[in-house]
Amino acid sequence: MSSSLLRPRRLRGSAGWASGDVAAGAPGQGQGQGRRPGSDGSRQQQQLPLPGQHWDVFKYVTEVFILVPALLGLKGNLEMTLASRLSTAANIGHMDTPKELWRMIMGNMALIQVQATVVGFLASIAAVIFGWIPDGHFSIGHAILLCASSVATAFIASLVLGMIMIGVIIGSRKIGINPDNVATPIAASLGDLITLALLSGISWGLYIELEDKAYVNPLVCAFFIALLPLWIIIAKRNPVTREVLYSGWEPVIIAMAISSVGGLILDKTVSDPNFAGMAVFTPVINGVGGNLVAVQASRISTYLHMSGMPGESSEMAPRKCPTPCNTFFSSDVNSRSARVLFLLVVPGHLVFLYTISSMQGGHTTLTLIFIVFYMTAALLQVLILLYIADWMVHWMWGRGLDPDNFSIPYLTALGDLLGTGLLALSFHILWLIGDRDTDVGD
């Protein structure tokens, strides 16, 4: 393959190069912009806002950044939906016998492999389109690289996380813990870590082979797609997963598209040398928001399942327009859990911010004004998500849709879009008001 595939490309409307080149000292990085006198930029050049953000694949194939929210969104589309579905089944006694347990495990594992492969493929197409439209630049080699990286990452991450979720749910039931409270947060947090690590490693490895062994990337795509018929046959044998196999694509695909828009925002923001530090905070704010709203949605869904099947109970009519007072300040159990989850936002993010600062991760100095803007974005994100979750779960239930299969993909995708958008807005405001130390300007 021609070595032209490996050349860096300029970003539209920017005199600089991709974000990796900026941090590594490429032309156009604008060193010293907005720094206070005496600020030492050497430390920031050695930091990694995203695992592998400054590897060659992230420098020259910047569309990989568009894949990040879409693939991280798989934790909501697939793993957290799986956790919610199995938690509900465990709580209402559908996994009490070994036969029922094995049937649920096999059907659900096959189902998420089908969904992961299809969503990973569609996410790569979205990344290619979103990267090509603004820049007018298209490379078939990079397109196949994105496809192979996305499909392989989605498949392997879903396989690993699915097995972990099954173990967590079975263990929770045996020791008397409600799986709704532990399974979805574990799925979300481990999903971020495993997916980012896999995406970085796989895309880097495939990028290395792009010039000398161009056949590797198409073979990877073909291998995982060839396994689809096997997983479809296994999933169709289970009545529960058969229904999701036929009817569960709409929320998964729409959620992937919503997350890809967040990825486009991330790609365009971190490509600007002034906002390169945003990359390290995006998985954090999106992960925390997704964790909290998934726990709330799963709890509300289990509460509704206790009264019957979706659409059958008149007592659980859909809420046309719940007020914020009903969502956060009423006396029912779901309102109390919403208050608790909202109060967890500030201490949770403070822990993550301290950890990032201690590990010298990213390009960002944690000034007081930055923390205020960051916390405001995080609180607003979770507030909106919890309110939407209260309405959406009841609305779906009243119309005969199982919230376990439909609500969480939408909610976590909205969380990705809101988190990325609000964080980008915060970085831009900080830049405009003159907070241009290394926190927003390296």
Side-chain angles (χ1 to χ4, degrees), residues 158 292 350 371 381 402:
S158 295
L292 297 178
L350 286 176
I371 294 174
Q381 175 207 31
D402 189 346

Side-chain angles (χ1 to χ4, degrees), residues 67-349:
L67 288 177
V68 172
L71 293 181
L72 290 185
L74 285 177
K75 70 179 183 293
N77 298 342
L78 306 181
E79 283 82 22
M80 291 167 71
T81 301
L82 169 68
S84 180
R85 189 163 55 239
L86 293 181
S87 296
T88 297
N91 283 326
I92 63 179
H94 289 176
M95 295 175 61
D96 290 344
T97 66
K99 183 178 180 180
E100 290 177 327
L101 177 63
W102 180 250
R103 186 176 62 180
M104 289 293 291
I105 291 174
M106 289 298 297
N108 279 281
M109 287 297 294
L111 174 64
I112 64 170
Q113 296 313 312
V114 175
Q115 293 178 321
T117 303
V118 174
V119 172
F121 179 73
L122 294 177
S124 67
I125 294 177
V128 171
I129 293 174
F130 285 147
W132 167 67
I133 290 176
D135 295 336
H137 173 88
F138 178 81
S139 167
I140 186 64
H142 289 178
I144 298 175
L145 168 67
L146 289 169
C147 178
S149 301
S150 181
V151 171
T153 299
F155 183 94
I156 298 173
S158 295
L159 179 64
V160 173
L161 289 167
M163 292 188 293
I164 293 174
M165 284 306 96
I166 291 170
V168 168
I169 291 169
I170 294 174
S172 299
R173 288 290 292 171
K174 288 186 177 180
I175 62 178
I177 298 176
N178 185 355
D180 282 324
N181 295 332
V182 295
T184 47
I186 291 176
S189 56
L190 287 180
D192 287 344
L193 176 64
I194 293 174
T195 304
L196 276 177
L198 285 172
L199 178 61
S200 300
I202 291 173
S203 60
W204 172 73
L206 293 176
Y207 182 80
I208 292 177
E209 305 296 334
L210 187 60
E211 185 173 12
D212 297 329
K213 300 177 182 177
Y215 59 86
V216 172
N217 289 315
L219 280 180
V220 171
C221 291
F223 172 75
F224 288 108
I225 293 175
L227 292 176
L228 270 176
L230 173 63
W231 307 126
I232 292 173
I233 292 172
I234 297 175
K236 288 176 66 175
R237 292 181 178 177
N238 188 313
V240 176
T241 55
R242 184 190 308 129
E243 178 185 356
V244 181
L245 185 64
Y246 290 130
S247 64
W249 290 102
E250 179 184 341
V252 170
I253 293 174
I254 293 177
M256 181 274 299
I258 294 172
S259 294
S260 295
V261 175
L264 180 62
I265 297 173
L266 176 64
D267 178 36
K268 296 306 175 186
T269 304
V270 300
S271 297
D272 187 331
N274 296 322
F275 310 118
M278 177 181 161
V280 72
F281 297 100
T282 303
V284 175
I285 194 170
N286 291 347
V288 172
N291 277 355
L292 297 178
V293 75
V295 170
Q296 180 72 350
S298 183
R299 288 177 63 88
I300 296 175
S301 179
T302 298
Y303 176 75
L304 295 176
H305 273 91
M306 295 294 186
S307 66
M309 298 299 293
E312 294 181 356
S313 177
S314 60
E315 298 178 1
M316 301 299 177
R319 300 186 182 185
K320 295 182 180 179
C321 186
T323 66
C325 290
N326 290 334
T327 301
F328 295 101
F329 302 108
S330 65
S331 59
D332 66 65
V333 61
N334 293 320
S335 180
R336 290 198 299 270
S337 66
R339 292 194 296 269
V340 171
L341 292 171
F342 183 73
L343 292 174
L344 290 175
V345 174
V346 171
H349 275 292

Side-chain angles (χ1 to χ4, degrees), residues 399-434:
R399 282 158 178 76
L401 301 174
D402 189 346
D404 283 330
N405 297 326
F406 288 89
S407 65
I408 292 181
Y410 288 122
L411 292 169
T412 54
L414 285 173
D416 290 342
L417 181 58
L418 283 172
T420 306
L422 290 171
L423 191 59
L425 180 63
S426 298
F427 269 75
H428 279 80
I429 293 175
L430 285 168
W431 179 256
L432 291 174
I433 66 176

